[in-house]
């Protein structure tokens, strides 16, 4: 039995996002979070789904910071649903801890918008989770993917892209 435990497969090494102090983490939008009781399990460890909620909150606030209100997108009939999500959990976060959810738009290809995330300690020394999310522009009235992003959204996303390159 103890030999079985020793030979269990291990996770492969993580990507470049392992070092939150690297230059890769410059020019990201930062969204502070303090862990609340309802975001944890019975042991006080953050439930895995809470990370996803924090990422969405950070993305919405990032868009707001450049002038895109999500409510305005809804009003013009443009929704941005998540169509792809991958999360890597590096370390657990516990009740009462403060962390930063860092996000940036990685790439826009047609109507697909790719975002990167890193959830790190407030001093930037610990990486708790890294993720990638892909959104797609959807015409909410017709329920179909748009052929192109609305001009106002395109312009605002160009601002984010310019910020990420500086």
């Amino acid at each position: 039995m103890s030999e079985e435990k020793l030979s269990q497969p291990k996770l492969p090494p993580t990507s470049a996002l392992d070092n939150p102090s690297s230059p890769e983490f410059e020019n990201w939008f930062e969204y502070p979070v303090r862990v609340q009781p309802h975001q944890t399990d019975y042991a006080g460890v953050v439930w895995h789904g809470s990370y996803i909620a924090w990422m969405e909150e950070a993305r919405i606030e990032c868009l707001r910071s450049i002038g895109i209100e999500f409510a305005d997108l809804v009003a013009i009939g443009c929704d941005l649903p998540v169509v792809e999500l991958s999360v890597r959990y590096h370390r657990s976060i516990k009740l009462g801890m403060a962390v930063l959810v860092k996000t940036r738009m990685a790439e826009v290809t047609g109507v697909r918008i790719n975002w990167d995330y890193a959830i790190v300690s407030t001093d930037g020394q610990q990486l708790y989770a890294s993720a990638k999310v892909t959104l797609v522009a959807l015409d909410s009235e017709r329920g179909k993917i748009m052929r192109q992003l609305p001009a106002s959204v395109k312009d605002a996303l160009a601002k984010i892209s310019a910020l990420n390159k500086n």
Side-chain angles (χ1 to χ4, degrees):
M1 182 83 145
S2 62
E3 285 181 32
E4 284 179 21
K5 286 183 182 177
L6 293 175
S7 65
Q8 287 182 346
K10 293 189 166 101
L11 289 172
T14 57
S15 69
L17 288 178
D18 279 340
N19 183 2
S21 304
S22 76
E24 263 187 89
F25 282 86
E26 294 174 12
N27 299 322
W28 289 51
F29 179 82
E30 295 183 356
Y31 180 72
V33 170
R34 181 165 304 275
V35 179
Q36 302 299 318
H38 69 276
Q39 297 165 327
T40 65
D41 62 16
Y42 63 91
V45 175
V46 172
W47 174 65
H48 68 277
S50 295
Y51 293 76
I52 295 165
W54 295 340
M55 290 186 297
E56 183 164 359
E57 291 168 14
R59 184 175 64 246
I60 298 301
E61 289 304 318
C62 179
L63 290 171
R64 179 175 286 129
S65 76
I66 55 131
I68 299 177
E69 290 288 339
F70 203 82
D72 293 342
L73 288 176
V74 172
I76 65 168
C78 176
D79 196 7
L80 296 173
V82 171
V83 294
E84 191 171 344
L85 165 71
S86 67
V87 181
R88 174 85 185 225
Y89 299 96
H90 301 272
R91 290 179 181 80
S92 60
I93 302 173
K94 300 195 173 162
L95 179 63
M97 288 177 65
V99 296
L100 290 175
V101 180
K102 293 187 168 200
T103 187
R104 69 177 175 188
M105 188 185 65
E107 178 184 31
V108 177
T109 315
V111 294
R112 296 175 71 84
I113 307 166
N114 298 306
W115 291 80
D116 291 330
Y117 296 87
I119 300 177
V120 300
S121 58
T122 55
D123 65 4
Q125 297 303 304
Q126 294 291 319
L127 176 64
Y128 298 107
S130 53
K132 294 187 176 296
V133 171
T134 301
L135 310 173
V136 67
L138 185 74
D139 179 327
S140 53
E141 189 175 302
R142 294 184 15 230
K144 296 193 179 206
I145 294 174
M146 294 180 160
R147 293 187 184 270
Q148 62 183 14
L149 290 170
S152 58
V153 174
K154 240 187 224 182
D155 293 345
L157 293 179
K159 287 182 199 173
I160 291 178
S161 187
L163 290 173
N164 288 342
K165 290 177 184 172
N166 291 335

